[in-house]
Structures are given as structure tokens and as C-alpha cells.
Amino acid sequence: MSSASPSTSTDHQTDAADLARFGYKQELKRGLGLFSSWAVAFSYISPSTGIFTLFALGLTTLGGVFIWTWPVVALGQFIIALNFAEVTSHYPVAGSVFQWTKYLANRTYSWFNGWVYLFAGILTVTAVVATLPLALIPALNGLGWHSLGQGSSTTLLHTQLVVALLTLIVITVLNIYGVRLVALINNTGVVFEILGMFVFALILMAFHNHQGFHVVTNSAGIPVNGSTFLAAMFMSLFVIYGFDTASTLSEETRDPRRAAPKAVLYSVIGAFIIGGVFLLGTLVAIPNMHTAIANAWSPANIIEANFSTGFATVYLLVVSAAIFVCCLSIMASTIRLCFGMSRDKTLPISKPLSRVSPTLHTPVWTCIAIAVLAAVPFIQYSGAGIIAIAATGMIYMSYFLCNIAILRARAGGWPRTKAPFRLGGWGMVVNIVGLIYGGAMLINFAWPRAASNPKPDQTGGLLNFHIDFLNKIPILWTVFVFIVLIGVIYYLAVGRRKEFAPVIAPAGDDAPLVQAAPPGPVAPPEG
């Protein structure tokens, strides 16, 4: 044991020295290994969370055939992950998408992409804490708290809101107390999620196979065409993203140039396998396909239809724990992005947001700010599914913008230096294929349809902006334009005149490809 400590200390010093070459001081606590880094990224993806959120959408749109959207999305996202893995091996600093575009594009472009990605992360926090009640309330009902699941749909929605807000408070406190605590909870939760989803799916296939494996070709009479397939993709699209979380936590990971890229790729592979087996097990266990589609069943309904109350309750509690861990990971990732942007003086009130507690080694004010912003959509709560639509579309937009910046850099000769993870001559091909896939998915997201991008007046009264013309515009359009408009106003009024932190790359790496800041008056430093 005595020989391990100096080695660990030396490794930490090496990682801190590498970070210093980017112009940053080691303030966050560097304690994550490869497994923890992978676990955080896997938890962000969290197959159980996304499947519980939008399973009903896929089922009601395409029946059992919707499972084929899973490998299509997984392959597309793995291609994106390959591109990101190479970039994170070059730039292992907190902030992922924002940091990469900062080094590979001009400051206006990187700021805009970071702004979009930040609010996409915030909306994802909201969507996932709103998902927890979908599993936890049925579990609590099984424990005897029947009043939680009774009453009108409005009453149930209110109960879900209370549970979601309590979850948001708890994960904020845990993130304030440090990434090591989050990682400990996260690692434990990931093991339960993997064992729970995989083993449980095998039990469903072996003992509760009502549909047979041909369910994957059973659309229950729903037309199978390009339109329905694209709409059914939304569950898979909502699940498989966030793999760049391993990059976002690079400053808290040991040997991040090697560990983070592996964690990025392994998280997609792990989610594909575990989630695919769980989806198949859940579909074959549906007692009656037409009843499930007519009533928009979630996995919770399928579990309760096949097992005794006691067993179903235990399993729903396991799923609830997995979703809670997902909430922790997504918030941790979004906090690091906000911290990274604030440290570069790109956000409003950057000074307090970039301040790290000397005892907790976490940016406390950033944790609180993210929690407050994540709570805003709850002012008019309309269910997890609607929030998930806006969150997912924004994430894919930021990924697409980042891939454009990477492609432009590749066209200019990047990377000229080798990193531990590299694509070599395949880099340009992977980049272009990723852009084609990402662009196609953005069109899919933006397409106005009631199933995946509804107008508020198509939500049955769940969402009402109280402005007639806004209620006739698809939700994703409104959310995106609002966030971009606020960003443009801030950037034109204040941001473009602020003195951002200089962009520094290590001497042995490719020089930053950013353009010089535009001339003009510099805003005074923030107090």
C-alpha cells in the first residue's frame, strides 16, 4: 500500500500539469478512474430512464417494430462518439462540446454552441427528474401508499411534479458535496441497473413470453413506413446521448487523454446491449398488444401485469434507483459545462459561477444556478415526454454544430499531432457520415407531428403558453427560438464585448484554430 500512494500522487501531478498547459489550474478533485468515468457516461445515457420516459411513444407509433429504431440510432450515435473520442483525447478539459468548438472554431461560434448545449443539458435535467415519478410512484403504491396514484390525471400530474422537485433538490445537494460522492452512488447504481435490466429481461423472455420473439415484426396493424419509423425513433434518440459526459468530467478523471475516449465509446456500446435486451424482454412480455397500444402502456404497466405486487414493487424500486443515478450524472455533467464556460468568462455572473469551494472542491453556485434553471419548466408542468422532446432536439443541434467545427478543422489539416486515441485517415469519413446522420435527425426532430413535436394545442391542455399564436407552433421550434433569442440579445449587448479567457493549447499539440476576438470596447470585469 505504501508504494501506491507516491505513484498516485505523481499521476495526479502529471494530470494537473497537463491541465496547466491549457492555462487552467487544477481546482476540481481528480478522483475518477476509467470505470467511474464510464459509469457516469452510462448513467447519463441510462437506458432504463429513457425507455421509461418514451416507451409509450414508440409502442403507440409502430408497435413492436419500433425496437428496430434502437440499433439504427445506436449506430449513428456511435459514429458521433468516435469523432468526439478523438477530440477529447486532444482537449481533456471541462465542457466537452463548448471546449472543442472553442479550440476549433471562432469565439462567436463556440459561445453560441456552448449556450445551446448548456440549456439542452438543463432541459435534460428537468426531463429526467420528471421521469423518476413514472417508476417511483407505482413502486410506492406497491408499498401501500395508494393515495399517490389515485385521483384525476391532473392530481397525478401534481404528485409527479412534487416528486420531481424533491428529486431536483436532493441531487443538487449531492452534487454540491462532490464528484467522489456522486461517483460512489453512481457506480453502485450502475451495477444495479445493469444487473436489474439484463437479468430481469432474461426472466421476462424465459417465463413471461406472451408475444413470442416475432413481436419485433408485429406493428399491431399500424402502417410501417418511413414516417412512422422516424416518429418511433424518438425513444431511442432520447436515450442514446450524453456519452460525452466522460469528456465533460475530464478534469476529474485520471489520465483523461486515454480514459475519457474509452469511456465515451464503451458507454454507447454498453447502453446498446443492455437497453436492447431490456426492450426485447419488455415487448415479449406484453399480455395483449392492442390493449397496451390503446392505453399507451409504459414498462411499469408491463411489469405490474406480469408479476405479483411484491416482485413488481422491488423491481420498480431498482429502476427508480437507476433513474435517480441518471439524474445525478446529468446534473454533474451540466454543472461542469456551466463551470467551464464561466471560467472562460463567457456567461452572465461568471465570477461566482466559476468559483470552486476550497473544502468541497465543487462549484457550489453553479450547482444552485443549474437547479434553479432546471426548475423553471415546472412552472407549467406538462409531463416528462414533452420536456424530453425539447431537450433531445437541443442536444442534437449542439452535437451537429460541434461536428461542423470539427469537420472544418479537419479540412484545415487538424489534427497534425497524435493523441492517445486517433482515427487516422478514417477521421474525415467518420466526421462526414456523422454530419449526414445528425442533419437527418435534426430534420426529424423539427418535423411538426403530434407524436414527436406537437403544438401546445395538440397536448390535450397539458401545455398552454396563453398566447394564441404560440399555441399553434410546434414546441421544439418555440423552445429553440426562445433560447437562441435570449442568447443573441445577451451576446450582442454584453458577451461580444467581454474579455474572454485566452485560448491556450499545450506547446506539443495543435495550435488553437480560433480566430482572434473582434476589435471593440471591452466590458469591465464582473464583480
Side-chain angles (χ1 to χ4, degrees):
M1 292 295 292
S2 60
S3 61
S5 181
S7 175
T8 302
S9 177
T10 301
D11 291 342
H12 286 186
Q13 290 172 5
T14 301
D15 291 336
D18 189 29
L19 180 62
R21 295 162 65 210
F22 287 92
Y24 297 123
K25 179 183 177 183
Q26 182 73 56
E27 295 181 282
L28 301 175
K29 197 163 188 177
R30 196 178 290 275
L32 302 181
L34 175 58
F35 178 79
S36 294
S37 180
W38 170 83
V40 173
F42 179 86
S43 294
Y44 193 123
I45 297 174
S46 186
S48 59
T49 303
I51 291 172
F52 263 75
T53 307
L54 293 179
F55 179 89
L57 186 153
L59 185 67
T60 56
T61 305
L62 207 56
V65 178
F66 94 91
I67 194 174
W68 293 106
T69 68
W70 186 253
V72 173
V73 172
L75 177 60
Q77 293 299 81
F78 186 74
I79 291 170
I80 302 293
L82 281 170
N83 207 33
F84 285 179
E86 181 171 34
V87 185
T88 196
S89 196
H90 282 271
Y91 308 114
V93 287
S96 68
V97 167
F98 163 70
Q99 293 287 2
W100 303 334
T101 48
K102 185 185 78 175
Y103 285 99
L104 302 176
N106 63 56
R107 80 178 229 157
T108 300
Y109 190 92
S110 64
W111 183 89
F112 176 76
N113 196 22
W115 180 264
V116 171
Y117 192 50
L118 175 62
F119 281 92
I122 291 168
L123 284 172
T124 303
V125 172
T126 310
V128 176
V129 297
T131 298
L132 180 60
L134 303 182
L136 184 59
I137 289 176
L140 294 177
N141 288 338
L143 292 174
W145 295 15
H146 300 293
S147 60
L148 291 175
Q150 294 178 348
S152 65
S153 59
T154 303
T155 302
L156 180 59
L157 208 62
H158 176 73
T159 304
Q160 292 175 356
L161 172 61
V162 172
V163 173
L165 286 172
L166 290 173
T167 304
L168 184 59
I169 292 170
V170 173
I171 64 173
T172 302
V173 173
L174 290 174
N175 270 285
I176 285 174
Y177 276 91
V179 73
R180 289 295 296 274
L181 176 60
V182 171
L184 177 63
I185 297 172
N186 186 77
N187 293 353
T188 306
V190 163
V191 172
F192 278 105
E193 176 168 11
I194 293 174
L195 292 177
M197 293 187 71
F198 193 81
V199 174
F200 182 72
L202 295 179
I203 292 173
L204 287 174
M205 291 182 210
F207 303 106
H208 300 275
N209 190 338
H210 302 292
Q211 296 295 322
F213 291 109
H214 62 272
V215 69
V216 299
T217 62
N218 180 13
S219 69
I222 301 172
V224 180
N225 52 46
S227 177
T228 53
F229 191 86
L230 288 169
M233 290 179 80
F234 271 76
M235 188 215 73
S236 302
L237 290 167
F238 178 63
V239 176
I240 310 177
Y241 71 78
F243 41 83
D244 57 303
T245 300
S247 307
T248 301
L249 271 66
S250 287
E251 292 183 30
E252 291 151 281
T253 303
R254 297 187 293 273
D255 194 14
R257 289 183 185 264
R258 290 177 175 81
K262 292 178 183 177
V264 167
L265 298 176
Y266 294 164
S267 64
V268 178
I269 295 170
F272 167 66
I273 295 171
I274 300 299
V277 171
F278 180 73
L279 272 176
L280 180 59
T282 305
L283 284 172
V284 301
I286 295 175
N288 185 291
M289 181 64 75
H290 291 282
T291 299
I293 292 174
N295 294 283
W297 273 23
S298 72
N301 299 120
I302 297 170
I303 291 166
E304 292 172 333
N306 282 281
F307 296 101
S308 65
T309 301
F311 188 92
T313 298
V314 170
Y315 186 72
L316 287 171
L317 286 173
V318 171
V319 172
S320 298
I323 297 174
F324 178 78
V325 167
C326 176
C327 296
L328 269 179
S329 299
I330 292 173
M331 191 168 196
S333 175
T334 308
I335 288 167
R336 270 60 186 180
L337 171 63
C338 185
F339 167 76
M341 294 185 69
S342 300
R343 183 175 57 182
D344 283 354
K345 305 175 184 177
T346 62
L347 293 179
I349 60 172
S350 289
K351 190 171 182 179
L353 291 177
S354 62
R355 187 176 298 131
V356 176
S357 166
T359 54
L360 298 173
H361 299 284
T362 54
V364 176
W365 287 110
T366 303
C367 297
I368 295 171
I370 295 300
V372 170
L373 290 171
V376 170
F378 288 133
I379 293 175
Q380 188 177 190
Y381 181 53
S382 51
I386 291 176
I387 302 171
I389 289 168
T392 313
M394 296 281 288
I395 287 282
Y396 278 71
M397 172 59 77
S398 61
Y399 281 6
F400 185 76
L401 293 174
C402 182
N403 275 309
I404 289 176
I406 298 171
L407 181 66
R408 289 184 62 190
R410 289 189 190 280
W414 184 90
R416 292 180 176 85
T417 59
K418 292 183 179 180
F421 181 88
R422 55 188 178 272
L423 296 174
W426 287 98
M428 184 67 77
V429 176
V430 168
N431 208 152
I432 292 173
V433 173
L435 276 172
I436 293 172
Y437 163 78
M441 290 305 99
L442 281 178
I443 295 172
N444 190 19
F445 281 119
W447 204 266
R449 59 168 80 92
S452 58
N453 187 18
K455 303 169 185 177
D457 59 11
Q458 294 176 318
T459 63
L462 290 177
L463 185 63
N464 186 349
F465 289 127
H466 303 291
I467 301 175
D468 189 57
F469 84 91
L470 286 181
N471 286 332
K472 300 182 183 304
I473 299 175
I475 292 168
L476 180 58
W477 297 7
T478 301
V479 172
F480 182 75
V481 170
F482 176 77
I483 290 174
V484 169
L485 185 60
I486 295 297
V488 168
I489 292 172
Y490 168 75
Y491 190 79
L492 292 178
V494 180
R496 66 190 178 96
R497 297 185 294 114
K498 290 179 68 175
E499 186 179 2
F500 290 175
V503 181
I504 303 170
D509 286 355
D510 288 87
L513 302 180
V514 294
Q515 299 175 2
V522 176
E526 298 179 50

